[in-house]
Amino acid sequence: MEEVKMLSFWASPFALRVIWALKLKRIEFETIEEDLPKKSNLLLQFNPIYKKVPVFLHNGKPICESLSIIEYIDETWKQYPLLPQDPLDRAKARFWAKFGDDKVLKSAFYDTFVKQGKEQEEGIASTMENLKYLEDELVGKTYFGGEKIGLVDLSLGWVACFISVWEEIIGLKIIDQEKFPLVAQWIQEFSNDPIIQQNWPSRDRLVARFSAIRQSYLNK
């Protein structure tokens, strides 16, 4: 009997993408909810370097970092493939997943959401540029991988889940349907998938949490 567990946190976009992957593949697993910013002994034991969720445990062996976890899951359980079979397409998927974390998330959250004034204006400009790259990548596609949810969609799932929350808190529109119609359509398609819908965090809790996070940044 395989033992599958995950150290998680309900509002972590990185943990959420792994949960979506597991649910899409219909893998039974146990969630161990962390009480962040406290670090449990289990978390410190299995991820002593970064001390962050998610940590995936397969038969007691830990795997850290969400994108690495999803690739491990995809290679271990073959049903509902999340990465393309073609090596070139796999490399492209990895590129866009990393772009989402390194560029889109940084500009939308760290350069826009938790900033004010001129710094926020610069962050918005950077976010618009990054969203344009995503818009161009979606031409002719329903999802980033084609006709079904894959690695890139999961890695960018936070866009669908969190950006509207951030827009509400700061009172600014980031994803305009006229400027980014394909991204807006992708958000709708992704959000309406039954598996994604069933594992969507409470919006009220997200608004409360991110309002507090933004305030803590602004008070520094």
Side-chain angles (χ1 to χ4, degrees):
M1 187 73 169
E2 288 189 307
E3 183 184 63
V4 181
K5 298 181 180 181
M6 196 176 83
L7 276 62
S8 182
F9 180 65
W10 71 272
S12 165
F14 306 103
L16 191 56
R17 62 175 57 153
V18 177
I19 290 174
W20 286 332
L22 290 166
K23 292 289 187 177
L24 285 168
K25 285 181 172 282
R26 302 192 182 282
I27 299 167
E28 295 292 330
F29 67 100
E30 176 187 348
T31 300
I32 302 171
E33 189 75 9
E34 290 289 322
D35 183 16
L36 301 180
K38 298 176 183 177
K39 317 274 186 189
S40 73
N41 290 334
L42 204 59
L43 178 60
L44 297 176
Q45 175 189 347
F46 287 124
N47 192 0
I49 296 176
Y50 292 112
K51 305 177 180 63
K52 294 179 180 179
V53 296
V55 177
F56 185 74
L57 299 170
H58 186 204
N59 295 329
K61 297 178 180 178
I63 300 100
C64 303
E65 296 298 293
S66 60
L67 295 180
S68 296
I69 293 169
I70 292 175
E71 288 212 40
Y72 175 85
I73 290 169
D74 203 41
E75 291 173 4
T76 304
W77 291 274
K78 302 301 183 182
Q79 68 270 25
Y80 197 101
L82 297 169
L83 278 94
Q85 293 302 306
D86 180 77
L88 179 59
D89 290 338
R90 289 172 73 88
K92 288 179 178 178
R94 292 186 181 107
F95 170 86
W96 286 109
K98 193 170 189 313
F99 173 79
D101 283 356
D102 292 351
K103 293 290 188 178
V104 188
L105 182 56
K106 178 184 181 298
S107 64
F109 182 80
Y110 295 102
D111 298 338
T112 299
F113 177 68
V114 297
K115 295 293 175 64
Q116 287 181 310
K118 190 175 188 313
E119 287 183 319
Q120 188 183 67
E121 290 175 9
E122 292 171 353
I124 291 171
S126 179
T127 300
M128 296 299 108
E129 181 181 6
N130 291 328
L131 288 172
K132 181 62 168 63
Y133 288 124
L134 296 184
E135 182 78 9
D136 292 343
E137 183 60 19
L138 280 168
V139 172
K141 303 174 184 176
T142 301
Y143 297 105
F144 285 94
E147 296 305 311
K148 70 183 188 70
I149 293 172
L151 171 71
V152 181
D153 305 284
L154 295 176
S155 70
L156 287 166
W158 63 268
V159 173
C161 190
F162 292 94
I163 278 193
S164 66
V165 171
W166 300 346
E167 289 175 335
E168 178 180 335
I169 293 169
I170 64 177
L172 291 172
K173 192 67 177 171
I174 298 173
I175 298 183
D176 187 297
Q177 189 161 2
E178 290 188 6
K179 288 182 180 178
F180 305 111
L182 298 181
V183 172
Q185 180 62 32
W186 169 80
I187 287 174
Q188 184 175 348
E189 294 285 347
F190 183 82
S191 305
N192 287 341
D193 182 274
I195 294 293
I196 303 302
Q197 264 191 354
Q198 291 162 17
N199 298 277
W200 203 260
S202 160
R203 184 178 181 88
D204 289 345
R205 290 183 74 193
L206 287 175
V207 169
R209 174 168 174 76
F210 280 104
S211 294
I213 288 174
R214 184 168 193 265
Q215 197 57 50
S216 70
Y217 271 91
L218 296 179
N219 289 339
K220 288 181 179 178

